[in-house]
């Protein structure tokens, strides 16, 4: 089986002014030296994307955004296009984050438009999926993951799957300090990989990177990353602390 290159992504959410972003980006770069065998990506707010890209040029650290529109330009008040992202140095977009789904009521259909559109402009698309606590407790976790995965990837061709990353983020573990146990995370990741093999093909599923997200910290990253189907992490809170993030990137 092909080795998957791991990816540690930091989602800064709605944090950092320009000065704070530059400072944090430079500190992260300083703490991520010497981990060339892993991909590192930072997703700051749109307003500081250009500044963060500039601070990180020549470091090998990738920059992306936390959402993206499917159109290049036009009457889409409040949205940012893939072309704008690329012009500001971004190469990737997170879509379908549970905060987008829950607070801004984004549906699988809308998220799918973002996925397909972002791919058509050559962005790496990080599609987030995950169940709520109520859904886990009522035993529908896998049904929810399947619906979000099939919905989010509708119309995505096998040839474009190399630009897709899936992030499994149980909603009950995001920003709560609760982490899925390594067994719970591995079980969900294995399910996702099996489903992708069914939707596409086995080789492609074997190459797909599946990140875990939800209260990833220096204290739990090692055991999560030791799971066979966990290929990286999507980090929220701890990504705002350059030291903690550096330790996560350097997981053992
Ligand atoms: P957290 O956020 O690490 O703060 O739980 C993860 C995420 O929302 O991607």
């Amino acid at each position: 089986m092909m080795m998957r290159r791991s990816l540690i992504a930091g989602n800064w959410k709605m944090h950092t002014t320009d000065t704070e972003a530059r400072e944090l980006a430079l500190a992260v770069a300083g703490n991520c030296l010497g981990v060339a065998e892993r991909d590192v990506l930072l997703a700051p707010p749109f307003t500081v994307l250009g500044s963060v890209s500039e601070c990180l040029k020549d470091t090998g650290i990738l920059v992306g955004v936390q959402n993206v529109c499917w159109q290049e330009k036009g009457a889409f008040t409040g949205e940012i296009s893939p072309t704008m992202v690329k012009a500001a140095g971004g190469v990737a977009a997170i879509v379908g984050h549970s905060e987008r789904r829950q607070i801004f009521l984004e549906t699988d259909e809308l998220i799918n438009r973002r996925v397909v559109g972002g791919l058509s402009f050559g962005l790496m698309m990080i599609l987030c999926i995950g169940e709520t606590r109520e859904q886990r407790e009522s035993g529908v976790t896998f049904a929810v993951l399947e619906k979000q995965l099939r919905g989010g990837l509708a119309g995505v061709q096998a040839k474009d799957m190399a630009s897709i990353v899936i992030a499994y983020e149980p909603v009950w573990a995001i920003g709560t300090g609760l982490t899925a146990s390594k067994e719970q995370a591995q079980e969900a990741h294995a399910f996702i990989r099996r489903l992708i093999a069914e939707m596409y093909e086995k080789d492609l599923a074997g190459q797909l990177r599946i990140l875990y997200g939800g209260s990833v910290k220096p204290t739990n990253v090692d055991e999560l990353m030791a799971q066979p189907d966990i290929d990286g992490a999507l980090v929220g809170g701890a990504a705002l602390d350059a030291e903690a993030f550096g330790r996560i990137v350097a997981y053992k």
Side-chain angles (χ1 to χ4, degrees):
M1 194 179 72
M2 184 185 146
M3 274 296 288
R4 297 179 290 269
R5 191 176 158 86
S6 88
L7 168 64
I8 305 292
N11 172 8
W12 289 5
K13 305 195 180 181
M14 197 171 72
H15 294 281
T16 70
T17 60
D18 196 70
T19 311
E20 291 163 349
R22 286 173 183 271
E23 208 175 294
L24 180 56
L26 291 173
V28 166
N31 288 345
C32 291
L33 294 173
V35 284
E37 78 277 14
R38 292 170 191 168
D39 288 338
V40 179
L41 179 130
L42 299 182
F46 293 129
T47 47
V48 299
L49 183 64
S51 299
V52 170
S53 302
E54 187 189 302
C55 290
L56 295 177
K57 78 170 179 305
D58 306 326
T59 64
I61 298 179
L62 308 171
V63 178
V65 286
Q66 302 166 23
N67 207 2
V68 73
C69 191
W70 51 90
Q71 288 283 340
E72 183 175 6
K73 58 173 93 164
F76 295 91
T77 302
E79 293 283 322
I80 300 285
S81 86
T83 324
M84 294 170 181
V85 171
K86 288 167 72 176
V91 297
I94 297 168
V95 288
H97 190 280
S98 68
E99 285 147 21
R100 298 301 317 173
R101 294 177 189 265
Q102 298 204 313
I103 307 171
F104 301 100
L105 308 181
E106 293 204 7
T107 59
D108 286 325
E109 194 198 355
L110 178 68
I111 293 160
N112 177 242
R113 292 171 87 169
R114 298 189 186 282
V115 170
V116 172
L119 285 174
S120 75
F121 287 93
L123 291 179
M124 176 205 292
M125 300 302 292
I126 304 177
L127 171 64
C128 303
I129 61 174
E131 82 286 359
T132 62
R133 187 167 57 82
E134 294 72 28
Q135 289 167 334
R136 178 162 281 269
E137 284 169 0
S138 53
V140 296
T141 295
F142 293 143
V144 169
L145 297 183
E146 177 161 0
K147 179 173 173 294
Q148 293 178 344
L149 206 54
R150 288 192 188 273
L153 293 178
V156 174
Q157 309 291 312
K159 67 172 176 44
D160 289 324
M161 284 299 288
S163 301
I164 292 280
V165 172
I166 303 294
Y168 168 61
E169 299 206 300
V171 179
W172 48 272
I174 295 179
T176 57
L178 297 172
T179 319
S181 68
K182 56 186 193 309
E183 293 82 9
Q184 283 172 324
Q186 167 57 27
E187 185 188 30
H189 283 229
F191 171 81
I192 293 165
R193 202 178 302 286
R194 275 199 307 278
L195 189 59
I196 294 289
E198 208 179 291
M199 290 165 62
Y200 295 92
E201 55 185 62
K202 200 152 177 277
D203 280 2
L204 185 154
Q207 286 162 26
L208 176 74
R209 293 192 286 189
I210 309 176
L211 315 183
Y212 169 79
S215 300
V216 174
K217 299 188 242 359
T219 47
N220 59 24
V221 67
D222 297 342
E223 62 173 21
L224 286 163
M225 295 304 302
Q227 302 307 304
D229 286 295
I230 301 187
D231 310 309
L234 181 51
V235 186
L240 296 171
D241 175 340
E243 205 176 309
F245 189 71
R247 170 62 184 85
I248 290 170
V249 168
Y251 71 84
K252 296 183 181 62

